[in-house]
Amino acid sequence: MPETPQAPLTVGFDLDMTLLDTRPGIHATYVALSAETGTPIDADLVVTRLGPPLLDEIRNWFPEAEVERAAARYRELYREYAFAPTVALPGAHAAVEAVRAHGGRVAVITGKYEPNARLHLEHSGLAADAVVGDLWAETKGAALREHGASIYVGDHLGDIRGARHADAVAVAVATGPYGADELREAGADVVLADLTGFPEWLAGHLAG
């Protein structure tokens, strides 16, 4: 019998604290938003808990009636303050290149506002075949399914939930708010210290 053709490899990546260290830019943006609105915001605290949707964080500092307007202004200020101080995390470029070396596609599935996510990738020199933003946990899983991703790489417990929802291999990197043990306990299939170990893992995984 002829072999059944395999689907092309697609690997999903989270953005914040997986591919990019966006903490300095996010910190600067919240400081600017606080100064402009007169609303106290602890930017040091904010950058310790990146991952959930922006509106969830904004609600910690603004009354509900002002949340949408504050979020919109944050996204505008982000373009002024966030890109320059952001750097790629160790192994990010090599991880993306490893997927391409195996003939695969790269899909960045992120909770970040999609236009800003695209600008981040452009600024950092990271090319993706697909970018989908404004997603979290299970909604990331829906996007992973849509793009046929069999692997999802992220730093947050919500990323593990997204991978599970898509029946994808959950690869966790301990570059975000959770340590390796917490990521394992949350159900990650693979835990790496950072993306520098991803090319070797991917080669072994594809080799079976």
Side-chain angles (χ1 to χ4, degrees):
M1 292 181 62
E3 292 185 5
T4 302
Q6 292 186 339
L9 170 68
T10 298
V11 178
F13 289 91
D14 175 47
L15 186 67
D16 295 278
M17 302 313 300
T18 298
L19 289 171
L20 301 178
D21 186 351
T22 52
R23 290 173 298 184
I26 290 172
H27 188 283
T29 305
Y30 272 107
V31 169
L33 181 66
S34 177
E36 183 177 291
T37 61
T39 300
I41 300 174
D42 186 345
D44 291 333
L45 175 60
V46 169
V47 296
T48 67
R49 56 191 187 195
L50 302 182
L54 172 64
L55 292 180
D56 288 4
E57 185 59 55
I58 292 289
R59 285 189 176 95
N60 291 319
W61 313 104
F62 291 86
E64 189 62 34
E66 299 176 20
V67 165
E68 290 288 349
R69 183 170 57 182
R73 185 57 181 149
Y74 171 90
R75 287 167 174 154
E76 293 171 350
L77 290 168
Y78 196 91
R79 298 190 176 198
E80 181 178 352
Y81 289 97
F83 299 135
T86 293
V87 297
L89 283 161
H93 286 89
V96 169
E97 290 163 6
V99 176
R100 300 204 187 285
H102 290 283
R105 299 175 68 254
V106 172
V108 173
I109 310 297
T110 175
K112 190 173 294 300
Y113 181 54
E114 188 173 310
N116 287 349
R118 291 181 181 276
L119 289 171
H120 254 314
L121 292 168
E122 181 181 338
H123 187 274
S124 302
L126 290 165
D129 300 285
V131 181
V132 187
D134 298 296
L135 301 177
W136 169 241
E138 286 77 10
T139 60
K140 286 188 173 186
L144 290 166
R145 282 187 181 276
E146 180 181 346
H147 288 278
S150 58
I151 299 167
Y152 186 52
V153 187
D155 67 284
H156 201 282
L157 305 190
D159 297 329
I160 298 171
R161 286 162 53 193
R164 289 283 178 232
H165 189 73
D167 293 326
V169 177
V171 178
V173 285
T175 47
Y178 297 98
D181 290 343
E182 292 171 291
L183 294 167
R184 288 191 191 93
E185 289 170 5
D189 297 301
V190 180
V191 178
L192 304 173
D194 56 35
L195 287 174
T196 59
F198 181 79
E200 181 179 358
W201 173 82
L202 180 63
H205 174 71
L206 295 176

